[in-house]
Amino acid sequence: MCQLLGLNCATPTDAQFSFSGLQRRGGATDHHGDGWGIAFFEGKGLRLFVDCESAAHSPMANFLRQYPLKSTHIIAHVRKATEGAVRLENTHPFCRVLWGRHWVFAHNGDLKDYRPHLHSHFHPVGDTDSERAFCWLLQELAKSHASLPSVPELTLTLRELLPQVRRHGSFNFLLSNGQALWAHCSTQLHYLVRQHPFAHATLMDEDWTVNFAEVNQPGDRAAVVVTTPLTRDERWTAFAAGELKVFVDGLPLDGV
């Protein structure tokens, strides 16, 4: 399977620390060596980097570690291919445009015999079950809403759609349009919120400790969502199976 990383932040934040831990899992400390990608929202704009080389040995990934980009919404992925060849068009995250906004999606799991009927302008470029699921979700969202709805409305619609995909297998995913981060757990997903008072954190996959109190202001806050915890000394919360959470300004929205 693959590994996911998502950040939803109250203020623009770089993913250098968390991405470094994820990068090591892309072919060094773990076997997810079939490509990687990361997306940074900047207002309505988007920077998307994908590579079919392993993240642990990718010059582009090393460049991004040295040139951290700041964003309020970041989605990253390291791939272990289960369907679709190791090619650039099959590398997550995937991106499409709906209602005048970029949408970014990354998936961890395996959907068996999943061939949804796609009849609008959302069609996959590659041949992964993940991209097919993304296209179907956007197609159904577009059918349900004439224009961009509120985050709570989008969340309700997603909850209604998800069972139709889940029945085909494991469907852990991250989704964002630059306004919110949606995270769905089928089998495994964890999150934490870093906020004042900040503390130290040490990566599990690399000898790197950061004192977040030295690099953050009191108003900074970031929700970090991962497949498996990236740090050894922070308290991560596991998602329940079948749970969909939405994060805005670095916090999970309660009651949505």
Side-chain angles (χ1 to χ4, degrees), residues 37-194:
I38 187 168
F40 303 85
F41 282 89
E42 295 184 18
K44 288 188 176 181
L46 181 74
R47 296 180 189 264
L48 176 64
F49 301 86
V50 292
D51 191 355
C52 54
E53 297 292 328
S54 68
H57 304 102
S58 166
M60 186 188 298
N62 290 331
F63 166 76
L64 288 173
R65 286 187 56 167
Q66 302 302 316
Y67 182 65
L69 298 170
K70 291 191 173 184
S71 172
T72 55
H73 294 80
I74 300 168
I75 290 179
H77 181 276
V78 291
R79 184 179 183 224
K80 174 63 177 175
T82 56
E83 182 176 339
V86 180
R87 294 197 296 261
L88 200 60
E89 63 265 30
N90 291 329
T91 306
H92 310 222
F94 302 106
C95 178
R96 294 292 189 278
V97 175
L98 174 62
W99 299 311
R101 298 196 72 100
H102 292 289
W103 290 74
V104 171
F105 174 89
H107 169 227
N108 164 32
D110 191 14
L111 302 173
K112 301 296 186 183
D113 302 316
Y114 184 66
R115 301 284 173 179
H117 182 53
L118 299 173
H119 52 77
S120 70
H121 66 282
F122 298 108
H123 289 276
V125 176
D127 51 9
T128 65
D129 52 350
S130 306
E131 192 181 15
R132 287 193 294 273
F134 179 37
C135 289
W136 183 82
L137 284 175
L138 290 190
Q139 171 184 281
E140 298 305 305
L141 287 175
K143 287 165 58 177
S144 300
H145 303 278
S147 59
L148 179 64
S150 67
V151 169
E153 288 177 301
L154 280 167
T155 306
L156 289 174
T157 305
L158 283 170
R159 284 206 171 97
E160 294 173 353
L161 296 173
L162 289 179
Q164 299 183 56
V165 185
R166 278 197 304 247
R167 66 190 183 195
H168 289 274
S170 54
F171 194 45
N172 308 288
F173 73 76
L174 300 175
L175 173 72
S176 181
N177 66 353
Q179 293 178 305
L181 174 69
W182 288 270
H184 175 258
C185 175
S186 179
T187 55
Q188 188 179 30
L189 213 57
H190 299 78
Y191 81 96
L192 59 75
V193 174
R194 292 190 182 119

Side-chain angles (χ1 to χ4, degrees), residues 7-13 71-73 179 193-196 198 216-224 247-251:
L7 279 82
N8 171 267
C9 310
T11 56
T13 303
S71 172
T72 55
H73 294 80
Q179 293 178 305
V193 174
R194 292 190 182 119
Q195 59 186 344
H196 183 77
F198 294 98
N216 286 282
Q217 301 298 316
D220 294 338
R221 183 174 58 243
V224 186
F247 298 85
V248 175
D249 291 331
L251 288 172

Side-chain angles (χ1 to χ4, degrees), residues 5 15-24 36 38 61 64-65 76:
L5 166 65
Q16 188 178 21
F17 180 71
S18 296
F19 179 66
S20 295
L22 185 75
Q23 182 193 13
R24 296 288 295 162
W36 66 276
I38 187 168
L64 288 173
R65 286 187 56 167

